[in-house]
Amino acid sequence: MTTPPAPPQPCSLDPVVLDGWRWAPFLDHAVEALQRFHPVAYPVEEPFLRQEGATGSKANPVPVTTATWACSTDKLRQVRAACVEAGNAASVLNFVINPSSGFDLPFFGADLVTLPSGHLIALDLQPALKTDTQHTSRVWERLMPLWEHWQNFLPSGGPIPTEAEPYFSPGFLWTRLPLGDPGDDLIIKAVFPAFVAYLDLYLQLVREADPVDDERRQDLLAGQQRYVAYRAEKDPARGMLTRFHGVEWTESYIHGVLFDL
Ligand code: DBV
C-alpha cells in the first residue's frame, strides 16, 4: 500500500507573490543576494505566512494581503520581510535583518511604504549598541559615503521622534515622496539603487564578521533586545495592520514574528 504524497507545506522561503505589489523588485533583489549565504527556512506559523483581509467601506471593500518571507543563516538569526498589498490603500515592504548576537553586526532595516498620502522611505544600518565605537565606527565610515550620495537626490523626511535616536545611525536615509511624478521616478532612480548599495555593504560586513567572545555576545544581545522591544512597542504599522487583520492577529504578528527576540 502506498500513501498519497503529502500536500506541500507552506514555507517561509516561498516566493511572495502579490498582485500589483510595487516593492517586488526590492524583495526579489534581497532574496537573490541572500542565496550565497545558504538561507534556511525560519519558522513562521501559517496564519502569518499569508493573511487576507479587507479595508475601505462596506460598499467599496478593498482586498488586503499581508505576506511574510523569512530565513536564517549561520550569521543571521532572522531575516524577514513583511509585505502588504492593499491596492490604493497601502503597499508596504518592511524588511529587517537581525544578526546573530555572536557577531558584531548592526541591523539592516528598510521601511518602504506607499499610502494614499505618498511614499515614505526609511533605510538604515541600525546599531545595537549606538554609543560603542567598536560596534559603530567600522560601519559608519563605510555607510556615510553611501548616505551622502543617495540622500542628495531625496528630500529629507523631516524630524523623527527623539526617543528613536538611540536606534538610528547617522546614515539613516529618510524621505517622503509624492505619489506619481516625481516620486515614482525617484524610487527607480535613487531609492532602489540606495537599497541595493546599503544591502551590499551590509552583506559585505556579514561576510567579514568573525565570532565574538561570550562577554561581547551578552552585550550585543542586550542591545538587540532593547532595539527589538522598541520596534515592537512603537511599530508605526500597528494601526494599519489592526484595521486590516484585527487586533489579535496583529499583536501576535508584531510580537511573535516581526520583532520576536
Ligand atoms: N513599519 C514597520 C513594520 C511595518 C511598517 C513592521 C508591516 O516597522 C510600516 C509594516 N511604517 C509603516 C507604515 C507607516 C510607517 C511609518 C504603514 C506609516 C504609518 C502611518 O502614517 O500611519 C521608520 N516608519 C514610519 C515612520 C518612521 C518609520 C520614522 C513614520 C512614523 C510616524 O510618522 O509616526 N520603521 C521606522 C524605521 C525603520 C522601520 C526607522 C527601519 C529602517 O522599519
Side-chain angles (χ1 to χ4, degrees), residues 29-63:
H29 172 80
V31 169
E32 176 60 33
L34 283 159
Q35 292 311 306
R36 76 178 96 105
F37 296 87
H38 311 292
V40 298
Y42 187 87
V44 175
E45 285 176 52
E46 217 181 309
F48 306 110
L49 287 174
R50 195 177 174 98
Q51 184 72 9
E52 314 288 338
T55 187
S57 62
K58 276 245 154 63
N60 216 340
V62 176

Tab-separated table of all heavy atoms in Angstrom, residues 29-63:
chain	number	residue	atom	x	y	z
A	29	HIS	N	15.385	41.290	-5.209
A	29	HIS	CA	16.820	41.546	-5.163
A	29	HIS	C	17.432	41.003	-3.867
A	29	HIS	O	18.482	40.360	-3.879
A	29	HIS	CB	17.123	43.038	-5.302
A	29	HIS	CG	18.566	43.346	-5.063
A	29	HIS	ND1	19.531	43.149	-6.029
A	29	HIS	CD2	19.226	43.736	-3.946
A	29	HIS	CE1	20.717	43.438	-5.523
A	29	HIS	NE2	20.560	43.798	-4.251
A	30	ALA	N	16.766	41.281	-2.748
A	30	ALA	CA	17.313	40.859	-1.456
A	30	ALA	C	17.370	39.333	-1.354
A	30	ALA	O	18.369	38.767	-0.893
A	30	ALA	CB	16.473	41.448	-0.320
A	31	VAL	N	16.309	38.664	-1.788
A	31	VAL	CA	16.279	37.198	-1.720
A	31	VAL	C	17.397	36.615	-2.578
A	31	VAL	O	18.110	35.696	-2.156
A	31	VAL	CB	14.884	36.664	-2.154
A	31	VAL	CG1	14.911	35.155	-2.351
A	31	VAL	CG2	13.825	37.064	-1.127
A	32	GLU	N	17.592	37.185	-3.742
A	32	GLU	CA	18.657	36.746	-4.640
A	32	GLU	C	20.036	36.958	-3.991
A	32	GLU	O	20.886	36.065	-3.994
A	32	GLU	CB	18.513	37.522	-5.964
A	32	GLU	CG	19.586	37.276	-7.001
A	32	GLU	CD	19.670	35.825	-7.448
A	32	GLU	OE1	18.607	35.164	-7.479
A	32	GLU	OE2	20.799	35.367	-7.746
A	33	ALA	N	20.227	38.138	-3.411
A	33	ALA	CA	21.529	38.456	-2.800
A	33	ALA	C	21.829	37.553	-1.604
A	33	ALA	O	22.991	37.305	-1.275
A	33	ALA	CB	21.556	39.924	-2.376
A	34	LEU	N	20.776	37.066	-0.951
A	34	LEU	CA	20.973	36.217	0.230
A	34	LEU	C	21.330	34.775	-0.130
A	34	LEU	O	21.788	34.017	0.731
A	34	LEU	CB	19.700	36.211	1.087
A	34	LEU	CG	19.485	37.473	1.939
A	34	LEU	CD1	18.010	37.608	2.316
A	34	LEU	CD2	20.367	37.437	3.196
A	35	GLN	N	21.123	34.394	-1.390
A	35	GLN	CA	21.289	32.988	-1.759
A	35	GLN	C	22.686	32.450	-1.439
A	35	GLN	O	22.846	31.322	-1.007
A	35	GLN	CB	20.966	32.749	-3.244
A	35	GLN	CG	19.494	32.937	-3.592
A	35	GLN	CD	18.563	32.197	-2.646
A	35	GLN	OE1	18.693	30.992	-2.430
A	35	GLN	NE2	17.614	32.918	-2.049
A	36	ARG	N	23.711	33.289	-1.610
A	36	ARG	CA	25.059	32.778	-1.397
A	36	ARG	C	25.364	32.537	0.079
A	36	ARG	O	26.430	32.000	0.418
A	36	ARG	CB	26.096	33.699	-2.040
A	36	ARG	CG	26.383	34.970	-1.299
A	36	ARG	CD	27.468	35.750	-2.020
A	36	ARG	NE	26.859	36.757	-2.881
A	36	ARG	CZ	26.843	38.057	-2.571
A	36	ARG	NH1	27.406	38.500	-1.476
A	36	ARG	NH2	26.265	38.923	-3.368
A	37	PHE	N	24.429	32.944	0.975
A	37	PHE	CA	24.615	32.673	2.403
A	37	PHE	C	23.883	31.399	2.839
A	37	PHE	O	23.772	31.123	4.021
A	37	PHE	CB	24.148	33.880	3.236
A	37	PHE	CG	24.976	35.116	2.993
A	37	PHE	CD1	24.664	35.993	1.959
A	37	PHE	CD2	26.100	35.384	3.762
A	37	PHE	CE1	25.440	37.125	1.715
A	37	PHE	CE2	26.886	36.512	3.531
A	37	PHE	CZ	26.559	37.372	2.504
A	38	HIS	N	23.365	30.646	1.871
A	38	HIS	CA	22.675	29.386	2.139
A	38	HIS	C	21.541	29.535	3.151
A	38	HIS	O	21.578	28.960	4.234
A	38	HIS	CB	23.678	28.315	2.601
A	38	HIS	CG	24.882	28.231	1.708
A	38	HIS	ND1	24.806	27.774	0.410
A	38	HIS	CD2	26.167	28.607	1.895
A	38	HIS	CE1	25.992	27.849	-0.157
A	38	HIS	NE2	26.839	28.354	0.719
A	39	PRO	N	20.533	30.333	2.804
A	39	PRO	CA	19.425	30.554	3.734
A	39	PRO	C	18.623	29.276	3.988
A	39	PRO	O	18.457	28.454	3.080
A	39	PRO	CB	18.556	31.589	3.001
A	39	PRO	CG	18.904	31.458	1.555
A	39	PRO	CD	20.350	31.044	1.521
A	40	VAL	N	18.192	29.125	5.221
A	40	VAL	CA	17.251	28.049	5.553
A	40	VAL	C	15.959	28.689	6.039
A	40	VAL	O	15.941	29.847	6.453
A	40	VAL	CB	17.823	27.082	6.629
A	40	VAL	CG1	19.076	26.401	6.111
A	40	VAL	CG2	18.093	27.803	7.949
A	41	ALA	N	14.877	27.905	5.992
A	41	ALA	CA	13.573	28.456	6.382
A	41	ALA	C	13.603	28.894	7.843
A	41	ALA	O	14.275	28.292	8.678
A	41	ALA	CB	12.485	27.406	6.161
A	42	TYR	N	12.896	29.959	8.141
A	42	TYR	CA	12.722	30.425	9.509
A	42	TYR	C	11.283	30.076	9.887
A	42	TYR	O	10.366	30.347	9.108
A	42	TYR	CB	12.936	31.943	9.573
A	42	TYR	CG	12.934	32.491	10.982
A	42	TYR	CD1	14.104	32.521	11.738
A	42	TYR	CD2	11.753	32.953	11.569
A	42	TYR	CE1	14.103	33.007	13.030
A	42	TYR	CE2	11.754	33.444	12.867
A	42	TYR	CZ	12.926	33.463	13.598
A	42	TYR	OH	12.912	33.940	14.882
A	43	PRO	N	11.076	29.458	11.063
A	43	PRO	CA	9.710	29.024	11.364
A	43	PRO	C	8.723	30.200	11.511
A	43	PRO	O	8.945	31.094	12.323
A	43	PRO	CB	9.858	28.262	12.689
A	43	PRO	CG	11.182	28.648	13.242
A	43	PRO	CD	12.042	29.086	12.107
A	44	VAL	N	7.703	30.187	10.672
A	44	VAL	CA	6.628	31.194	10.744
A	44	VAL	C	5.317	30.418	10.666
A	44	VAL	O	5.128	29.607	9.756
A	44	VAL	CB	6.715	32.197	9.567
A	44	VAL	CG1	5.529	33.150	9.575
A	44	VAL	CG2	8.035	32.970	9.603
A	45	GLU	N	4.442	30.648	11.624
A	45	GLU	CA	3.164	29.910	11.614
A	45	GLU	C	2.295	30.348	10.448
A	45	GLU	O	2.346	31.496	10.015
A	45	GLU	CB	2.430	30.135	12.936
A	45	GLU	CG	3.049	29.356	14.080
A	45	GLU	CD	2.351	29.672	15.390
A	45	GLU	OE1	1.107	29.580	15.433
A	45	GLU	OE2	3.055	30.065	16.334
A	46	GLU	N	1.460	29.403	10.011
A	46	GLU	CA	0.721	29.610	8.775
A	46	GLU	C	-0.122	30.886	8.718
A	46	GLU	O	-0.133	31.543	7.669
A	46	GLU	CB	-0.120	28.376	8.465
A	46	GLU	CG	-0.118	28.152	6.977
A	46	GLU	CD	-0.930	26.980	6.526
A	46	GLU	OE1	-0.727	25.892	7.100
A	46	GLU	OE2	-1.739	27.180	5.611
A	47	PRO	N	-0.826	31.270	9.766
A	47	PRO	CA	-1.648	32.494	9.630
A	47	PRO	C	-0.821	33.742	9.341
A	47	PRO	O	-1.366	34.767	8.942
A	47	PRO	CB	-2.352	32.634	10.981
A	47	PRO	CG	-1.985	31.452	11.788
A	47	PRO	CD	-0.974	30.629	11.078
A	48	PHE	N	0.495	33.647	9.538
A	48	PHE	CA	1.347	34.820	9.312
A	48	PHE	C	2.111	34.734	7.994
A	48	PHE	O	2.712	35.719	7.566
A	48	PHE	CB	2.297	35.013	10.500
A	48	PHE	CG	1.540	35.089	11.802
A	48	PHE	CD1	1.613	34.060	12.721
A	48	PHE	CD2	0.713	36.173	12.054
A	48	PHE	CE1	0.883	34.118	13.900
A	48	PHE	CE2	-0.024	36.236	13.227
A	48	PHE	CZ	0.062	35.209	14.157
A	49	LEU	N	2.126	33.562	7.385
A	49	LEU	CA	2.769	33.449	6.073
A	49	LEU	C	1.959	34.213	5.030
A	49	LEU	O	2.519	34.832	4.124
A	49	LEU	CB	2.908	31.983	5.649
A	49	LEU	CG	3.964	31.172	6.389
A	49	LEU	CD1	3.892	29.714	5.974
A	49	LEU	CD2	5.366	31.742	6.140
A	50	ARG	N	0.634	34.128	5.169
A	50	ARG	CA	-0.226	34.875	4.247
A	50	ARG	C	-1.584	35.068	4.911
A	50	ARG	O	-2.198	34.093	5.348
A	50	ARG	CB	-0.368	34.103	2.929
A	50	ARG	CG	-0.920	34.962	1.820
A	50	ARG	CD	-0.969	34.177	0.503
A	50	ARG	NE	-1.640	34.965	-0.511
A	50	ARG	CZ	-1.003	35.692	-1.434
A	50	ARG	NH1	0.302	35.687	-1.501
A	50	ARG	NH2	-1.690	36.400	-2.313
A	51	GLN	N	-2.023	36.295	4.975
A	51	GLN	CA	-3.290	36.611	5.621
A	51	GLN	C	-4.083	37.561	4.741
A	51	GLN	O	-3.566	38.589	4.307
A	51	GLN	CB	-3.010	37.251	6.997
A	51	GLN	CG	-4.231	37.549	7.824
A	51	GLN	CD	-4.898	36.291	8.382
A	51	GLN	OE1	-4.346	35.199	8.284
A	51	GLN	NE2	-6.081	36.429	8.929
A	52	GLU	N	-5.339	37.200	4.485
A	52	GLU	CA	-6.194	38.075	3.680
A	52	GLU	C	-7.065	38.901	4.616
A	52	GLU	O	-7.410	38.467	5.710
A	52	GLU	CB	-7.110	37.248	2.755
A	52	GLU	CG	-6.417	36.119	1.987
A	52	GLU	CD	-5.502	36.592	0.857
A	52	GLU	OE1	-5.707	37.732	0.370
A	52	GLU	OE2	-4.577	35.847	0.486
A	53	GLY	N	-7.410	40.091	4.178
A	53	GLY	CA	-8.307	40.948	4.950
A	53	GLY	C	-8.978	41.920	4.007
A	53	GLY	O	-8.947	41.722	2.790
A	54	ALA	N	-9.584	42.951	4.574
A	54	ALA	CA	-10.247	43.943	3.743
A	54	ALA	C	-10.161	45.302	4.418
A	54	ALA	O	-10.082	45.406	5.635
A	54	ALA	CB	-11.701	43.560	3.504
A	55	THR	N	-10.169	46.345	3.580
A	55	THR	CA	-10.236	47.706	4.099
A	55	THR	C	-11.199	48.468	3.195
A	55	THR	O	-11.858	47.869	2.349
A	55	THR	CB	-8.825	48.350	4.183
A	55	THR	OG1	-8.919	49.602	4.845
A	55	THR	CG2	-8.200	48.540	2.804
A	56	GLY	N	-11.302	49.773	3.385
A	56	GLY	CA	-12.281	50.539	2.614
A	56	GLY	C	-13.629	50.465	3.290
A	56	GLY	O	-13.722	50.196	4.489
A	57	SER	N	-14.688	50.666	2.526
A	57	SER	CA	-16.036	50.698	3.108
A	57	SER	C	-16.775	49.403	2.793
A	57	SER	O	-16.350	48.616	1.955
A	57	SER	CB	-16.798	51.896	2.546
A	57	SER	OG	-16.933	51.738	1.144
A	58	LYS	N	-17.898	49.205	3.479
A	58	LYS	CA	-18.768	48.040	3.207
A	58	LYS	C	-19.168	48.018	1.737
A	58	LYS	O	-19.118	46.984	1.084
A	58	LYS	CB	-20.032	48.131	4.083
A	58	LYS	CG	-19.834	47.576	5.471
A	58	LYS	CD	-20.719	46.321	5.687
A	58	LYS	CE	-20.117	45.410	6.739
A	58	LYS	NZ	-20.049	46.080	8.063
A	59	ALA	N	-19.514	49.199	1.222
A	59	ALA	CA	-19.983	49.300	-0.164
A	59	ALA	C	-18.834	49.137	-1.151
A	59	ALA	O	-19.031	48.688	-2.269
A	59	ALA	CB	-20.683	50.642	-0.378
A	60	ASN	N	-17.635	49.507	-0.692
A	60	ASN	CA	-16.494	49.519	-1.600
A	60	ASN	C	-15.257	48.891	-0.948
A	60	ASN	O	-14.266	49.576	-0.702
A	60	ASN	CB	-16.209	50.975	-2.004
A	60	ASN	CG	-15.744	51.050	-3.448
A	60	ASN	OD1	-15.287	50.039	-4.007
A	60	ASN	ND2	-15.823	52.223	-4.036
A	61	PRO	N	-15.337	47.598	-0.642
A	61	PRO	CA	-14.220	46.975	0.079
A	61	PRO	C	-12.978	46.831	-0.815
A	61	PRO	O	-13.102	46.591	-2.013
A	61	PRO	CB	-14.771	45.600	0.481
A	61	PRO	CG	-15.875	45.320	-0.474
A	61	PRO	CD	-16.405	46.638	-0.962
A	62	VAL	N	-11.817	47.005	-0.212
A	62	VAL	CA	-10.549	46.806	-0.920
A	62	VAL	C	-9.878	45.586	-0.307
A	62	VAL	O	-9.661	45.552	0.901
A	62	VAL	CB	-9.629	48.041	-0.747
A	62	VAL	CG1	-8.277	47.819	-1.398
A	62	VAL	CG2	-10.304	49.300	-1.274
A	63	PRO	N	-9.567	44.553	-1.100
A	63	PRO	CA	-8.900	43.388	-0.523
A	63	PRO	C	-7.468	43.704	-0.101
A	63	PRO	O	-6.789	44.495	-0.755
A	63	PRO	CB	-8.927	42.340	-1.648
A	63	PRO	CG	-9.231	43.070	-2.890
A	63	PRO	CD	-9.834	44.406	-2.541
